[in-house]
Amino acid sequence: MSKVVERKPLTFFEKTYLPQILGGLRITLKNFFKPKVTLQYPEERPPIPEGYRGVPTLVKDPNGREKCVSCQLCEFVCPPKAIRITPGEIPEVSETAHVEKAPQDFEINMLRCIYCGMCQEVCPEEAIFLQDIYSLVGTSREELVYHKQKLYELGGTLPDEHYKWDKKKEAAERAAAGGHH
Amino acid sequence: MDWIDIILKVIYAVLVVVVTMTIAGYSVMAERKIASWIQGRIGPNRAAIPGISDIPVLGRALVKLGIFQLPADGLKFLFKEEPMPAHVKKIYYVVAPCLSLIPALVTVVVLPFGVYFIDGQANPLVLADVDIGILFILAISSLSVYGIVLGAWAGNSKYPFYGGIRSSAQMISYELAMGMSILPVLMWANGPNGGVGGLGDLTLFNIVTAQQDLWMAFWMPVPAFIYLTALFAETNRLPFDMPETETELVGGFHTEYGGFKFGLYFTAEYAHMVVGSAVFTLLFFGGWQFLPTFGFLPDWVANPWASWGWIGSVVSVIYFLVKMYALMVFFIWVRWTLPRFRYDQVMTIGWKYLIPLALVCIIFYAIFIAAWDTFVTIDNAPAIIDRALP
């Protein structure tokens, strides 16, 4: 069923457009006094939703050890080839000698990164996370290549459910004590 | 004229131009602020000058208000790279922005913006008290279109050219309506009931003193409306900003301009707005007078501080400025309310409605004023403020 809308001819005052103009002026005047809705960005930050993919960062476990074992899976999977890892050994005398390996350097070129999150998904150690950092600035290309220290600064510490290295250490100590494992 | 007089006039002229330019500059800031408030934003509130903005409460408030935005914008315009496109006509390209600003500043010369008293005689605070004030303003302000047309032509590309053509067509059609709409005002001001300057005097001072009883806007609303509409068109403000329709013409006449040359165009537009609102205030809002007396209120209502010497003069200037600013705010307010007219609508409104309406007004008020003079004879119209005739 189509409904025919009858178009009424405009009255004289409507034809002058003046009532409409005055009505419009009233509306804008009302808006003039309404509270403002803009976010004052640098002081006020927008709420970041869960699972937001911001800058990739490296995290440490609650014991303060680096989780990354420089397996280089993220380097291989990274579509824009933004990640470069220089693998390094952990010296025998170190406190954390039971940990497999650690990266000597871990660099992410933020100018290439596309925030796809594949590195986070592929990481077997849950060492790399895309967190809620989104405002990324720098004054040179070199400054935007983030190295290991910077990445750990950004990442901080995240809770860990597994404590893989603790278990490994216990197992090693038990083995050393002569027990089965 | 004594040489001291000449030096005083020069200082006075520089002062007036500086003040006008400052007001024009700050109206850009007002535009940005009011625009953002209407749109639910806060607007510029970051620009700060170290030192001034460090003053505890006041400085912070000024920063929030965007007071320092004008120097920031000006410096930005000044230090920006100014590319000159290879295809422009160089001399005209450079001259055009200046040509657009000069008329607006020249019109200020005949604008009386206050009153001062010598031995009870009122004198206008004006740079040049010429007899043909309003004619001078109409003549000079219509020259501003040359800046636009020349700039558009010198840009040597299609869109600026369209903008220039539109601007000239619009100027022609609205100049006529504007000129005709003020004829009733002049008829009244020069009638027996009018101002003090005497018959055949076109000074703006005369027109203002004629409004002591009743502001023209109250009993000549239709001419006031026509004049206001034409003023919107002349100053290229929305809804009549045909020369720079961004949606159709990229940027219109100033598409090829950048940096400080664009800044000059920008300032010129606002200077026109300032002068236009000033003229409208003088013609229809009683200039520097406080309130209309309506014929029965005592005369001091119109100018309560007349006997206060120079303080009274300052107060009269303040009244004038307040009225002018109110009108500027109205200009900005309308800009963020009405959509832009289509070009054919602009022409239709100008030629088919405003000009006939203005003609009807002229005839109506001519008959009315003649009848008033004949039947409601006012013997010895009390010239409250006697002006010494030369």
Side-chain angles (χ1 to χ4, degrees):
Chain A
M1 275 294 282
S2 63
K3 191 183 168 191
V4 179
V5 178
E6 202 183 329
R7 288 194 185 275
K8 289 180 195 158
L10 297 175
T11 63
F12 175 74
F13 273 110
E14 280 169 343
K15 272 186 195 161
T16 60
Y17 297 114
L18 287 181
Q20 278 73 21
I21 290 174
L22 292 178
L25 286 175
R26 221 186 70 220
I27 288 170
T28 40
L29 190 66
K30 261 191 226 161
N31 280 325
F32 188 90
F33 292 110
K34 269 187 195 165
K36 309 299 173 243
V37 294
T38 34
L39 190 81
Q40 293 297 292
Y41 170 63
E43 292 93 33
E44 293 172 31
R45 298 275 174 158
I48 304 296
E50 199 79 6
Y52 182 85
R53 296 203 301 231
V55 173
T57 57
L58 291 177
V59 298
K60 294 186 172 173
D61 75 353
N63 291 336
R65 288 175 297 220
E66 46 184 311
K67 285 170 139 186
C68 177
V69 293
S70 62
C71 67
Q72 290 179 307
L73 275 177
C74 52
E75 186 177 348
F76 295 139
V77 83
C78 183
K81 301 195 189 308
I83 302 177
R84 192 161 75 208
I85 299 172
T86 316
E89 296 292 332
I90 294 175
E92 289 287 329
V93 292
S94 167
E95 180 79 354
T96 54
H98 55 283
V99 179
E100 286 165 7
K101 278 198 293 182
Q104 199 179 4
D105 193 13
F106 193 114
E107 54 184 72
I108 304 182
N109 188 342
M110 293 314 305
L111 294 170
R112 305 192 71 165
C113 177
I114 56 170
Y115 305 95
C116 61
M118 279 186 162
C119 47
Q120 179 182 346
E121 275 185 42
V122 85
C123 183
E125 303 292 336
E126 296 185 353
I128 185 164
F129 274 91
L130 270 66
Q131 295 190 22
D132 58 359
I133 302 161
Y134 55 88
S135 84
L136 184 72
V137 286
T139 50
S140 65
R141 282 161 193 267
E142 290 72 35
E143 202 178 310
L144 282 168
V145 177
Y146 284 2
H147 287 276
K148 192 170 128 181
Q149 195 201 351
K150 172 92 177 170
L151 287 169
Y152 275 121
E153 268 171 30
L154 289 175
T157 306
L158 284 187
D160 191 341
E161 288 173 13
H162 306 298
Y163 290 99
K164 181 179 167 190
W165 302 124
D166 283 350
K167 287 172 188 160
K168 200 147 184 169
K169 193 177 181 184
E170 279 167 26
E173 278 163 4
R174 251 184 281 132
H180 284 294
H181 64 275
Chain B
M1 201 183 241
D2 205 357
W3 63 273
I4 294 179
D5 280 351
I6 294 172
I7 289 176
L8 275 179
K9 279 282 181 197
V10 168
I11 293 171
Y12 195 29
V14 169
L15 203 68
V16 165
V17 166
V18 166
V19 168
T20 314
M21 286 290 279
T22 313
I23 293 176
Y26 271 105
S27 58
V28 177
M29 184 210 79
E31 169 104 48
R32 292 177 66 181
K33 268 303 201 191
I34 293 173
S36 54
W37 285 334
I38 284 176
Q39 294 164 1
R41 298 184 284 117
I42 293 175
N45 61 349
R46 298 293 151 137
I49 296 175
I52 303 176
S53 51
D54 294 335
I55 302 169
V57 181
L58 182 72
R60 189 78 205 114
L62 289 181
V63 169
K64 286 247 177 222
L65 212 58
I67 290 291
F68 305 116
Q69 200 61 46
L70 175 66
D73 286 345
L75 283 180
K76 191 192 90 180
F77 272 137
L78 206 58
F79 288 114
K80 238 176 147 174
E81 184 187 357
E82 267 190 84
M84 192 186 281
H87 56 78
V88 298
K89 313 248 193 316
K90 295 234 163 29
I91 297 170
Y92 303 112
Y93 180 81
V94 176
V95 166
C98 316
L99 266 187
S100 161
L101 183 61
I102 290 169
L105 294 180
V106 170
T107 31
V108 187
V109 168
V110 295
L111 279 183
F113 44 81
V115 67
Y116 68 96
F117 294 87
I118 296 176
D119 301 332
Q121 281 173 3
N123 291 287
L125 267 172
V126 64
L127 213 51
D129 190 14
V130 291
D131 283 347
I132 53 160
I134 185 68
L135 270 185
F136 182 81
I137 284 175
L138 284 179
I140 299 293
S141 67
S142 61
L143 288 181
S144 65
V145 74
Y146 285 103
I148 292 176
V149 172
L150 199 64
W153 179 76
N156 201 6
S157 71
K158 290 190 198 72
Y159 290 123
F161 185 68
Y162 282 136
I165 294 296
R166 281 182 174 196
S167 182
S168 54
Q170 180 177 309
M171 188 62 81
I172 290 167
S173 46
Y174 281 85
E175 190 80 28
L176 211 55
M178 185 182 237
M180 290 204 289
S181 68
I182 58 169
L183 278 181
V185 176
L186 298 179
M187 282 194 277
W188 178 254
N190 287 310
N193 196 30
V196 294
L199 292 171
D201 196 347
L202 286 180
T203 49
L204 288 157
F205 178 74
N206 191 20
I207 291 167
V208 174
T209 47
Q211 295 179 61
Q212 188 156 351
D213 287 344
L214 196 55
W215 294 356
M216 295 296 183
F218 288 133
W219 83 281
M220 290 184 180
V222 179
F225 174 73
I226 296 170
Y227 188 85
L228 193 63
T229 316
L231 200 59
F232 270 91
E234 290 248 320
T235 51
N236 298 326
R237 294 288 298 177
L238 270 150
F240 293 103
D241 71 335
M242 286 300 120
E244 46 175 295
T245 20
E246 293 94 348
T247 41
E248 303 156 32
L249 299 185
V250 189
F253 65 95
H254 55 56
T255 305
E256 305 289 344
Y257 282 89
F260 205 73
K261 297 194 196 74
F262 170 76
L264 272 183
Y265 266 130
F266 207 59
T267 322
E269 190 188 321
Y270 283 92
H272 278 133
M273 227 167 86
V274 172
V275 174
S277 344
V279 174
F280 189 83
T281 309
L282 290 171
L283 288 178
F284 292 101
F285 277 153
W288 52 80
Q289 306 194 7
F290 182 46
L291 285 172
T293 60
F294 297 110
F296 60 87
L297 292 172
D299 287 331
W300 57 262
V301 175
N303 199 355
W305 289 274
S307 55
W308 280 22
W310 65 271
I311 297 175
S313 307
V314 171
V315 172
S316 71
V317 173
I318 289 173
Y319 284 154
F320 179 74
L321 287 180
V322 165
K323 286 178 190 176
M324 201 185 78
Y325 280 131
L327 211 62
M328 303 264 294
V329 170
F330 180 71
F331 266 87
I332 297 167
W333 181 15
V334 167
R335 173 175 180 176
W336 301 105
T337 303
L338 295 185
R340 178 182 294 124
F341 286 132
R342 232 167 42 217
Y343 185 62
D344 60 317
Q345 289 172 331
V346 169
M347 286 289 111
T348 311
I349 294 169
W351 289 106
K352 284 193 183 166
Y353 296 106
L354 289 187
I355 291 176
L357 203 60
L359 276 173
V360 169
C361 284
I362 293 175
I363 294 166
F364 172 77
Y365 283 107
I367 294 170
F368 181 84
I369 291 169
W372 181 277
D373 288 349
T374 314
F375 298 116
V376 193
T377 313
I378 303 166
D379 33 15
N380 299 331
I384 294 108
I385 307 161
D386 265 325
R387 195 163 164 229
L389 290 172

